[in-house]
Amino acid sequence: MQAELSKTRTEVVFSSNVANMDQWAQITHIPLTTADALGATYARALRWLTNLKSQLVRDHNWTEVPLQDGRILFSIEMASIWRSSVNLPAGPKLRLQLPVHASSFFSPERRIQWEMVFHSDTFESVRRICSPIQDILNLLQCLLTGVVTVALIDASDGSRTVRGLPPASWINANESYLVDIFGQSHFRALRKAASDPRTSFKVDPIDS
């Protein structure tokens, strides 16, 4: 059994490729919107994202990092969750940042910055034990479907099962927040897509 489990792993993947967003729009049956509309929707989510950051600082040992870039909404950091044999952090500090404007995710100059955020241990491991991190990931999947995905890699059959939307249970549990951000019509489309594996997942070969 352990040998079989070792052949699978889960990873969070950041991609600012608009063609990828278009593919997910076709999968979910939720049409892509304009850049301005996307930016306005993201702006309505800033209060919730900021509240989640405050939870991380208050309840989960993250600390604020002074901002030196007005394009960043917040920057926080935490010691590695891994410990050495003498109980010292066994890795670099984790840092979580999000931008003020959604357009920053698509800036070529910032691609590596966002890859470092989403491909870090924050989203690889910490999100599994820290609900505000998972909430941030889920909200971003609703806001920017296809930009941040969760992939289950199965080396035994060479497949990659990719989830583009959060679970329907999370969407239902946060209905009031999501309706405020997206409106009732778009919320219903999100809930419908997330409730059906055919419109919330895709399967690719590992080397795609």
Side-chain angles (χ1 to χ4, degrees), residues 23 87 100 111 113 115 135 153 157 170 173-174 189 204:
Q23 182 186 34
N87 202 34
V100 173
R111 178 180 59 83
Q113 175 184 0
E115 286 178 347
D135 287 339
I153 312 299
D157 65 3
W170 184 88
N174 292 282
D204 294 328

Side-chain angles (χ1 to χ4, degrees), residues 22-112:
D22 184 58
Q23 182 186 34
W24 276 101
Q26 296 176 48
I27 293 170
T28 61
H29 305 305
I30 301 175
L32 273 182
T33 186
T34 65
D36 287 345
L38 181 66
T41 303
Y42 183 82
R44 289 194 294 272
L46 294 185
R47 183 170 63 174
W48 191 3
L49 291 169
T50 302
N51 285 342
L52 291 169
K53 178 267 295 182
S54 297
Q55 291 179 36
L56 290 168
V57 172
R58 185 183 66 241
D59 303 327
H60 299 279
N61 299 316
W62 290 76
T63 57
E64 302 256 15
V65 176
L67 293 178
Q68 299 177 334
D69 186 338
R71 295 170 294 181
I72 298 298
L73 176 65
F74 64 76
S75 181
I76 56 177
E77 65 182 17
M78 184 185 78
S80 171
I81 63 172
W82 307 110
R83 290 293 183 267
S84 69
S85 58
V86 292
N87 202 34
L88 293 174
K93 285 186 176 181
L94 303 175
R95 179 165 291 195
L96 174 59
Q97 298 178 322
L98 287 179
V100 173
H101 302 293
S103 58
S104 180
F105 287 119
F106 303 97
S107 170
E109 294 79 15
R110 298 208 153 208
R111 178 180 59 83
I112 293 176

Side-chain angles (χ1 to χ4, degrees), residues 94-188:
L94 303 175
R95 179 165 291 195
L96 174 59
Q97 298 178 322
L98 287 179
V100 173
H101 302 293
S103 58
S104 180
F105 287 119
F106 303 97
S107 170
E109 294 79 15
R110 298 208 153 208
R111 178 180 59 83
I112 293 176
Q113 175 184 0
W114 300 124
E115 286 178 347
M116 290 178 65
V117 169
F118 291 107
H119 297 172
S120 72
D121 205 36
T122 301
F123 287 93
E124 175 67 23
S125 301
V126 178
R127 70 178 175 90
R128 304 171 193 273
I129 58 174
C130 184
S131 59
I133 298 292
Q134 186 65 59
D135 287 339
I136 289 172
L137 174 63
N138 290 346
L139 179 53
L140 290 175
Q141 285 195 307
C142 293
L143 291 164
L144 304 160
T145 306
V147 172
V148 184
T149 56
V150 180
L152 175 66
I153 312 299
D154 188 344
S156 65
D157 65 3
S159 70
R160 180 172 61 184
T161 302
V162 185
R163 177 166 63 81
L165 288 174
S169 58
W170 184 88
I171 289 179
N172 287 326
N174 292 282
E175 178 174 356
S176 60
Y177 296 110
L178 294 170
V179 169
D180 283 345
I181 293 169
F182 294 100
Q184 191 65 245
S185 177
H186 192 93
F187 169 79
R188 286 196 297 265

Side-chain angles (χ1 to χ4, degrees), residues 1-10 152-156:
M1 175 64 76
Q2 274 195 318
E4 287 299 315
L5 290 175
S6 67
K7 293 179 181 178
T8 65
R9 72 180 193 278
T10 303
L152 175 66
I153 312 299
D154 188 344
S156 65

